[in-house]
Amino acid sequence: MTTSLPSSSSSTSAISGATQSFVQATLNSHNIARAQYGASPVTWNSNLYPGTQQWANACVFQHSGGNYGENLAAAAPQSITVQQGVNLWMTEASMYNYSNPTFSSSTGHFTQVVWKSTTSVACAIANCNFLGNGTGYLVCRYDPPGNYLGQFAQNVGRPST
């Protein structure tokens, strides 16, 4: 089930535990970035959210595996926002080679955010202890996933000017 929320209230309900303001911040940050590259807006995926929060809470800084795309980010001390994570991933855009549109470990976060075939997202944040101090840990999952070899040219648009 995917949900697009017009409200910025901070109550929880049909969004599987995430506050409406968190969901809206997730959608806003992703959709602003996606619009710059010709990708349609994503919606909130309430089916992905519980597992995304569970993985964030496990505090394992590695990809979990699964039938979705996944971006990770961490910041110390103790806080990170979805907007900060998306901003970090979008810095990779300057390294993307449109003349050779393919996967690169230096641009994979960016290409997942703007992947045109992706239609929904769920993100979660946890406080972890990666470096001996509090670390904010952000996990975002995308459905359908991106970064498929042979599909970059049609799924990663050039930035609008």
Side-chain angles (χ1 to χ4, degrees):
M1 176 180 156
T2 56
T3 307
S4 180
L5 299 171
S7 170
S8 62
S9 156
S10 62
S11 67
T12 61
S13 63
I15 49 181
S16 302
T19 64
Q20 288 185 350
S21 61
F22 180 80
V23 170
Q24 198 61 58
T26 297
L27 296 176
N28 289 346
S29 59
H30 279 85
N31 290 334
I32 289 168
R34 290 173 60 82
Q36 295 172 29
Y37 292 85
S40 298
V42 289
T43 58
W44 179 258
N45 190 319
S46 60
N47 292 329
L48 278 182
Y49 176 74
T52 305
Q53 186 65 66
Q54 184 177 15
W55 186 252
N57 291 345
C59 294
V60 177
F61 195 79
Q62 65 184 33
H63 291 285
S64 61
N67 296 325
Y68 40 77
E70 189 173 70
N71 280 347
L72 312 174
Q78 294 182 327
S79 68
I80 189 167
T81 65
V82 177
Q83 182 66 58
Q84 289 168 328
V86 171
N87 288 347
L88 175 68
W89 301 326
M90 292 304 293
T91 64
E92 298 175 359
S94 64
M95 296 179 279
Y96 188 72
N97 183 352
Y98 288 94
S99 299
N100 183 22
T102 191
F103 179 77
S104 164
S105 61
S106 61
T107 60
H109 301 101
F110 154 68
T111 53
Q112 178 57 81
V113 170
V114 302
W115 196 260
K116 290 181 179 181
S117 295
T118 295
T119 59
S120 65
V121 63
C123 295
I125 296 174
N127 289 322
C128 299
N129 194 20
F130 293 134
L131 304 170
N133 61 4
T135 306
Y137 181 33
L138 170 65
V139 178
C140 290
R141 290 182 175 170
Y142 304 86
D143 188 51
N147 291 336
Y148 283 107
L149 295 179
Q151 296 181 18
F152 282 81
Q154 66 266 32
N155 278 289
V156 181
R158 292 186 181 269
S160 56
T161 53

